[in-house]
């Protein structure tokens, strides 16, 4: 089974963190939803704590001991902002923004075969950004 070690970052999450600000650095993604028929998303990040008891002991939760949400924030992230974050990632790292330098993209999963991958279509399996001044190996 192929083990994918490097994945591209979540660009939606990157943009949301930038908008919510420094306090969101340690916060975890808890929701995203499309806004109407647009390509814009409402993204939520919030502080988490570990559950100390119960059947989910050790897992994280976004709720405090009183059941209320811990400090959290929402940000609207537009399609254009995600595209800009992808372009910046490719310019900064030289890696393909779809596969994150693995050259593979997810194809399917089943219990018998596990995860199957195929060559990433954006970079044709090279793992490198096809634009941003990066020379493709020939
Ligand atoms: Zn790729």
């Amino acid at each position: 089974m192929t083990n994918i070690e490097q994945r591209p970052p979540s660009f939606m999450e990157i943009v949301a963190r930038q908008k919510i600000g420094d306090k969101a650095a340690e916060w975890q993604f808890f929701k995203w939803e499309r806004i109407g028929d647009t390509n814009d998303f409402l993204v939520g990040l919030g502080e988490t704590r570990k559950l100390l008891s119960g059947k989910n002991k050790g897992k994280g939760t976004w709720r405090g001991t009183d059941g209320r949400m811990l400090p959290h924030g929402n940000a609207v992230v537009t399609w254009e902002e995600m595209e800009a974050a992808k372009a910046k990632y490719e310019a900064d790292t030289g890696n393909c923004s779809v596969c994150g330098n693995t050259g593979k993209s997810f194809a399917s999963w089943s219990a018998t075969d596990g995860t199957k991958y195929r060559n990433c279509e954006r970079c044709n399996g090279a793992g490198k950004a096809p634009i941003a001044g990066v020379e493709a190996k020939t």
Side-chain angles (χ1 to χ4, degrees), residues 22-34:
D22 291 343
K23 64 189 177 192
E26 303 291 321
W27 289 1
Q28 304 292 315
F29 211 28
F30 70 87
K31 73 162 181 187
W32 62 267
E33 61 190 47
R34 187 181 291 268

Side-chain angles (χ1 to χ4, degrees), residues 95-104 119-128 130:
N95 293 336
C96 171
S97 63
V98 173
C99 65
N101 200 27
T102 61
K104 306 277 182 205
N119 269 2
C120 172
E121 288 179 7
R122 176 163 171 74
C123 63
N124 200 22
K128 296 298 174 195

Side-chain angles (χ1 to χ4, degrees), residues 4 16-17 23 26 30 32 69 86 111 115-116 135 138:
I4 300 291
R17 283 188 195 284
K23 64 189 177 192
E26 303 291 321
F30 70 87
W32 62 267
M69 285 290 291
K86 279 184 202 175
T115 305
K116 285 189 173 173
E135 305 259 338
T138 51

